[in-house]
Amino acid sequence: MTTAWYFAYGSNMQSATLRGRRGIQFHRALPARAPGWRLVLDKPPLFSTGNSFANIVPDPAAETFGVAFEVAEDDLNHIDLTEGVLIGNYERVATTVLPLHTPQGAPTDALTAFTLSSERRDPMLQPSTRYMSLLIEGALEHRLPDNYVAFLRTIPTCAESEELQRLRPMIDEAMRSWRR
């Protein structure tokens, strides 16, 4: 089985989201940082719901923290499918990530990982409180730096829109059915 590294910086950092909502069974998870990328939370969803999502944009002076997951190539393709890469919601890009702390036998050098980025941005949108709690839970789960978790806690949020609450069950079912 061929594997690849996927760098998650949004809600997919949380293992329960990646395994549950996306149906991805990863082999390893390493806390990591991606130099040259800045986290922004102004990405509009595929369908207008009034809330924004995580995105990273190139910035040579910045770095973004997240989790490098070793996944099967088929799972990487499934991430593309469920994140809307095939219809332009995000673009899959290769980047270098540096593991922060690694268990015995895990890679300690720079890794090439695939991640998602989008030029679709709307600075008027904010992430929902629910969505930000998933990012923070994922950051805590994988022991990302305390100052990064503190930064995530400072991001302004708003209530989750009623549209998103109504759409979530349908979106979740669609993601599960794509795995069958």
Side-chain angles (χ1 to χ4, degrees), residues 9 40-49 51-57 83-85 87-91 116-123 125:
Y9 53 81
V40 293
L41 284 127
D42 60 2
K43 181 174 166 324
L46 192 54
F47 305 105
S48 180
T49 59
N51 295 119
S52 64
F53 295 94
N55 186 19
I56 55 174
V57 295
E83 292 285 5
V85 170
I87 55 175
N89 191 46
Y90 281 102
E91 179 181 334
L116 303 175
S117 180
S118 178
E119 293 183 9
R120 297 179 61 232
R121 299 180 64 195
D122 184 345
L125 296 176

Side-chain angles (χ1 to χ4, degrees), residues 86-101:
L86 303 176
I87 55 175
N89 191 46
Y90 281 102
E91 179 181 334
R92 184 200 288 189
V93 294
T95 191
T96 299
V97 298
L98 305 166
L100 298 179
H101 39 83

Side-chain angles (χ1 to χ4, degrees), residues 14 19 22 34 74 79 86-87 129 133:
Q14 184 194 45
R19 283 189 174 123
R22 303 250 178 246
D74 286 347
I79 291 167
L86 303 176
I87 55 175
T129 304
S133 72

Side-chain angles (χ1 to χ4, degrees), residues 73-147:
E73 292 244 354
D74 286 347
D75 285 333
L76 189 61
N77 293 332
H78 184 69
I79 291 167
D80 285 355
L81 178 67
T82 60
E83 292 285 5
V85 170
L86 303 176
I87 55 175
N89 191 46
Y90 281 102
E91 179 181 334
R92 184 200 288 189
V93 294
T95 191
T96 299
V97 298
L98 305 166
L100 298 179
H101 39 83
T102 56
Q104 185 74 14
T108 56
D109 295 333
L111 303 168
T112 298
F114 293 102
T115 194
L116 303 175
S117 180
S118 178
E119 293 183 9
R120 297 179 61 232
R121 299 180 64 195
D122 184 345
M124 301 303 294
L125 296 176
Q126 290 182 331
S128 72
T129 304
R130 177 192 170 280
Y131 181 75
M132 282 308 299
S133 72
L134 298 175
L135 270 72
I136 293 166
E137 288 170 18
L140 290 169
E141 173 189 355
H142 295 285
R143 299 183 359 226
L144 296 185
D146 292 342
N147 62 341

